[in-house]
Amino acid sequence: MAGVSSESLAAALAALEAKLPSASLQLAKELFGILGTVDSSAGLRRALTDPSRSADEKSALIKQLFSGKVSPDAVEIAAGLASSRWASARDIGDALETLAASVVIAVAENKSAVSASGLTGLESLENDLFTFNQSVESSHEVQRALSEPQASPAAKVSLAEKLVPGASEEAKVLIGQAVTAPRGLKVTKLVGRFAELAAKRQQRWIATVSVTRPLTETQTSRLQAGLNALYGRELKININVDPALIGGIRIQVGDEVVDASLLTRLGELHRQLAG
């Protein structure tokens, strides 16, 4: 996904953040259900991505189809996607799949975020997805069973869950979606995509700190407390000693970078002089 579709997905993910702290698996299942409807109708996909239709018209179409059938949040999220611009009819389905999976991943994150690092739930989810893919890739019989067009969705889900006994409910939702609606992909490829989303979410809980020399225990404790207060969650801190920074500190949490190193300031000064 690139260009205008990538921008629309980024905006949708940013808007979704406000709903994630209280998200539920039911919301994710509703979004996957809407995806199933969209995927089953080429006419609907064309209508939702037709550049000649206004954003309001496309949003209204979603509301007409799904209001009263799913939660208001699910309708709002899908209508928001419909009102955005998409480069191809496939892209809106891919975006809806990403948003639904992001809700599942947030539920896993929230399960442990209250009392401990949200990494716990996210790591557990990623491990379950990884275990499933390992099990499938190690057995040609399982691969054939999961790709058998005559097999019922229930049979595929039952087989998938046997491969990961003790899997979390979040993992079961994502694995179930992959085996019943791979959308033209290998099941393991789609599960791998879900795992990548979980891994990216984990980065919100990890602060990578680059400094020119090792920090003392007191400095590390102060840094930990300051970052936890700043981000409102208990971060895992990885400290990297990098003399090339010359001085200062560089902190990265997820996609956010705070760079107060002398090397960066010198680079900025050089660009200003060159300009």
Side-chain angles (χ1 to χ4, degrees):
M1 191 181 297
V4 66
S5 293
S6 179
E7 294 172 2
S8 294
L9 174 57
L13 286 169
L16 183 67
E17 279 296 326
K19 298 184 182 298
L20 294 184
S22 59
S24 67
L25 287 181
Q26 180 59 31
L27 173 60
K29 292 175 182 178
E30 290 173 348
L31 292 175
F32 279 134
I34 294 173
L35 171 61
T37 300
V38 172
D39 276 347
S40 68
S41 172
L44 177 58
R45 290 195 300 277
R46 286 195 298 269
L48 294 176
T49 56
D50 184 351
S52 68
R53 286 175 173 250
S54 70
D56 288 343
E57 287 177 319
K58 292 183 285 188
S59 177
L61 177 57
I62 286 291
K63 293 175 182 177
Q64 178 184 348
L65 288 173
F66 298 105
S67 290
K69 299 177 181 177
V70 296
S71 66
D73 278 347
V75 173
E76 180 185 345
I77 292 168
L81 287 180
S83 66
S84 301
R85 297 172 59 209
W86 303 97
S88 72
R90 166 85 189 194
D91 285 352
I92 191 172
D94 289 347
L96 189 52
E97 182 179 69
T98 297
L99 293 186
S102 296
V103 171
V104 177
I105 291 164
V107 172
E109 177 184 41
N110 295 340
K111 283 172 66 174
S112 55
V114 174
S115 58
S117 170
L119 277 171
T120 306
L122 293 171
E123 288 173 341
S124 177
L125 173 60
E126 190 176 7
N127 286 339
D128 286 342
L129 299 179
F130 181 70
T131 298
F132 171 80
N133 272 1
Q134 278 191 316
S135 298
V136 173
E137 290 169 352
S138 66
S139 171
H140 293 298
E141 290 184 1
V142 170
Q143 293 171 31
R144 285 194 295 270
L146 292 178
S147 60
E148 171 55 56
Q150 300 303 317
S152 69
K156 291 181 179 180
V157 169
S158 178
L159 172 60
E161 291 186 354
K162 291 177 182 177
L163 299 176
V164 195
S168 67
E169 290 303 310
E170 295 77 32
K172 289 179 180 179
V173 170
L174 293 180
I175 291 170
Q177 176 66 20
V179 300
T180 58
R183 306 183 66 242
L185 298 178
K186 288 180 61 177
V187 169
T188 52
K189 178 69 173 179
L190 183 51
V191 170
R193 284 188 181 180
F194 292 153
E196 289 173 3
L197 289 174
K200 184 176 182 180
R201 190 75 182 176
Q202 285 187 43
Q203 297 307 308
R204 298 175 65 252
W205 294 85
I206 301 173
T208 301
V209 180
S210 298
V211 292
T212 55
R213 57 179 180 271
L215 299 180
T216 66
E217 186 175 332
T218 299
Q219 289 172 325
T220 301
S221 296
R222 289 176 179 172
L223 177 63
Q224 177 83 65
L227 289 175
N228 289 350
L230 178 62
Y231 286 93
R233 52 185 181 268
E234 186 172 344
L235 299 177
K236 176 182 178 181
I237 295 183
N238 294 331
I239 298 178
N240 173 42
V241 178
D242 183 5
L245 290 175
I246 304 177
I249 187 170
R250 183 182 188 274
I251 301 171
Q252 180 166 354
V253 179
D255 294 329
E256 184 176 345
V257 177
V258 178
D259 196 329
S261 69
L262 179 56
L263 182 61
T264 296
R265 294 198 294 271
L266 287 174
E268 291 173 350
L269 177 60
H270 176 74
R271 286 191 294 273
Q272 290 173 5
L273 291 175

